[in-house]
Amino acid sequence: MQQPPLFLGLDLSTQQLKASIIDEGENLLYEEYIHFDSDLPHHGTQNGAHYGDREGEVVCPVVVWLEAMDVLFDRLTEKHSVDFGRILAVSGAAQQHGSVYWNAKGVEVLGKLDKSKGLVDQLEGGFSLERAPLWMDSSTTKECRDLEEAVGGAQNLADRTGSRAYERFTASQIKRLYDYDRPTYDQTARISLISSFVASLFLGKVAPIEIADASGMNLMDIIAGNWDQELLKLCGGEELKEKIGEQPVGGGTNLGKVAKWWVERYGFNPDCIVAPFTGDNPSSIVSLSSPGDAILSLGTSTTLLVSIPPSPDPPLCTTNSHMLAHPTTPGGHIGMLCYKNGDLARKSVRDKHFDGNWEQFDQSIKSTSSGNDGYLRFYFPMKEIIPDGVIGEFGFKEGKLVEGEGGEFKPSYSRAICETQLLSIKSRLHHILPHSIGHLHRCIVTGGASANETILHLVADVLDLPVYVAATSASATIGG
């Protein structure tokens, strides 16, 4: 008797690679992950990244992700005895904005992988840049300002692409390589986003970039859903059009069948479909939300997402938010607020003031009232996205700047960081909501901090919305 089909989703996030396998009823059957710092310690990553020599540079060696893929599928085989022959389709998600630079050798080897060898053994050396820029990178401020100036300002760029120029976006990363390291740029045969890089490994050829993830690059016309030819030329010359590849594709596109390597090495069904991989945030929208919902992801970054249905009116684009194409609804969009200092900032407060103890962190919130006795404290250990470029710690008592960490009163530092992060979201939320949506109905919280009930109560209080927790932590893998 033939076994019912299964579906495989992967999420290559900042700190780990995760696989989820579900059945036709979306029941989660298998789950496995590779944590880069602890499972692959020989690569020396810190929270999944290397911090480069250039100020603000944050990268990850591509070999980390290749090895993680090898180890992950070996574990699924040996630990879980997964029958990959039942997998009908594979897709997933990845951290947004980061980019992978294939050289000609890498593209060639990708198409003729040897089943007796793993990915890392064959593709190491297949990239013109061995270390991929990540979304945390803030080293390309000059390139961002140059790009905005070339098109008439930040608002004009936002109107064209959905966002003003951001250091972590792919356009400025490509432009820096083009302007300052032309030999490496010239050796680059193809450029992938991290999401399309993973899809490429399954296809055995460089995959097209998915439309929602493409809209986080500052290179795509947010209305037409096609590459903006002027922006391509500004960032990488005439040749960037070839390096970036075909026009962005919708999330439901059938990219083809899995490469022979997966069939011969792991027993995949040769008819297994590869669908486009998207960004982790668009994937969460697909997995979790309905119209009128907000999704708040409390992960490494803090991100608020709102699904915007198709409308004859153009989406509202600002210089403090992002507008992305919807991965599965043609003409639809996703409004997004993204903060770099999310979970790592909360952990820094926990470690500094509460001896690394979450219970003490939570108790401090519970022992103080809403508003924190008029005390606000903003924590930006990394250069922030909103507000742009700010770094450091800033305390205020009833609107006045306070030096040091509290003065004569005893505020709750844990309440301070959580309330200020949420208040920043609330103050900007109405700017990204079109009139057609009206009021939001509920907030769905995902990410690591969604397990913290104390923080969930703060979310409900500050945003003034009913709060629900995602039933699965696999929103990115399942949504993809």
Side-chain angles (χ1 to χ4, degrees), residues 305-355:
L305 303 164
V306 180
S307 183
I308 299 172
S311 169
D313 299 320
L316 299 174
C317 300
T318 78
T319 57
N320 279 320
S321 63
H322 307 300
M323 192 62 61
L324 308 177
H326 197 284
T328 58
T329 304
H333 292 89
I334 300 169
M336 175 173 159
L337 297 169
C338 184
Y339 300 81
K340 185 182 294 186
N341 294 286
D343 185 56
L344 298 182
R346 289 188 292 271
K347 285 179 178 177
S348 71
V349 171
R350 176 203 65 183
D351 295 344
K352 183 175 183 179
H353 296 288
F354 304 102
D355 298 322

Side-chain angles (χ1 to χ4, degrees), residues 14-15 35-52 58-65 67 131 134 136:
T14 311
Q15 301 187 55
H35 191 272
F36 305 141
D37 291 6
S38 58
D39 289 317
L40 306 174
H42 46 284
H43 291 293
T45 56
Q46 297 178 5
N47 299 311
H50 286 176
Y51 297 84
V58 185
V59 296
C60 183
V62 181
V63 69
V64 172
W65 302 332
E67 186 174 351
R131 303 190 304 170
L134 300 185
M136 293 184 288

Side-chain angles (χ1 to χ4, degrees), residues 43-339:
H43 291 293
T45 56
Q46 297 178 5
N47 299 311
H50 286 176
Y51 297 84
D53 299 329
R54 204 167 62 241
E55 182 180 358
E57 184 181 30
V58 185
V59 296
C60 183
V62 181
V63 69
V64 172
W65 302 332
L66 293 173
E67 186 174 351
M69 288 285 287
D70 285 336
V71 176
L72 177 69
F73 279 89
D74 287 346
R75 279 192 188 174
L76 288 170
T77 300
E78 297 163 6
K79 180 179 175 181
H80 300 284
S81 300
V82 172
D83 179 3
F84 292 107
R86 294 174 60 191
I87 304 291
L88 185 63
V90 57
S91 186
Q95 53 182 296
Q96 289 193 258
H97 315 302
S99 43
V100 177
Y101 299 76
W102 301 85
N103 60 28
K105 176 188 174 184
V107 174
E108 180 184 1
V109 172
L110 180 63
K112 53 180 184 181
L113 293 171
D114 182 345
K115 66 177 181 179
S116 68
K117 300 177 182 178
L119 294 172
V120 69
D121 291 335
Q122 300 181 77
L123 288 172
E124 186 175 12
F127 306 92
S128 55
L129 270 184
E130 295 181 353
R131 303 190 304 170
L134 300 185
W135 66 272
M136 293 184 288
D137 187 280
S138 60
S139 67
T140 58
T141 302
K142 179 183 182 302
E143 289 72 29
C144 288
R145 302 293 83 81
D146 289 348
L147 185 58
E148 290 174 345
E149 183 178 353
V151 299
Q155 185 60 57
N156 283 346
L157 186 63
D159 290 338
R160 285 171 71 162
T161 71
S163 303
R164 66 168 176 83
Y166 284 91
E167 287 86 349
R168 71 189 189 280
F169 274 38
T170 325
S172 62
Q173 297 290 339
I174 294 172
K175 182 171 173 53
R176 181 177 182 86
L177 189 66
Y178 179 74
D179 289 344
Y180 292 101
D181 191 356
R182 189 64 64 84
T184 299
Y185 183 81
D186 291 342
Q187 291 169 17
T188 301
R190 293 293 304 272
I191 299 173
S192 296
L193 291 183
I194 298 174
S195 58
S196 62
F197 159 75
V198 184
S200 301
L201 298 178
F202 282 99
L203 277 177
K205 61 182 179 180
V206 178
I209 295 173
E210 183 273 333
I211 193 168
D213 221 9
S215 51
M217 299 174 72
N218 281 139
L219 291 174
M220 191 190 82
D221 183 321
I222 190 62
I223 304 300
N226 295 324
W227 299 123
D228 185 307
Q229 298 303 314
E230 180 188 2
L231 292 174
L232 289 179
K233 187 175 179 180
L234 282 170
C235 293
E238 296 286 356
E239 57 267 46
L240 182 54
K241 180 179 180 180
E242 182 178 347
K243 295 179 191 295
I244 214 78
E246 62 189 86
Q247 294 293 347
V249 297
T253 304
N254 182 343
L255 297 181
K257 311 297 186 185
V258 290
K260 185 170 66 172
W261 185 83
W262 294 93
V263 177
E264 295 177 345
R265 186 172 177 88
Y266 291 107
F268 270 74
N269 185 329
D271 292 324
C272 175
I273 293 170
V274 180
F277 282 56
T278 186
D280 49 4
N281 292 308
S283 184
S284 293
I285 278 279
V286 173
S287 175
L288 298 175
S289 75
S290 301
D293 290 344
I295 294 179
L296 179 62
S297 174
L298 298 175
T300 306
S301 62
T302 292
T303 305
L304 184 94
L305 303 164
V306 180
S307 183
I308 299 172
S311 169
D313 299 320
L316 299 174
C317 300
T318 78
T319 57
N320 279 320
S321 63
H322 307 300
M323 192 62 61
L324 308 177
H326 197 284
T328 58
T329 304
H333 292 89
I334 300 169
M336 175 173 159
L337 297 169
C338 184
Y339 300 81

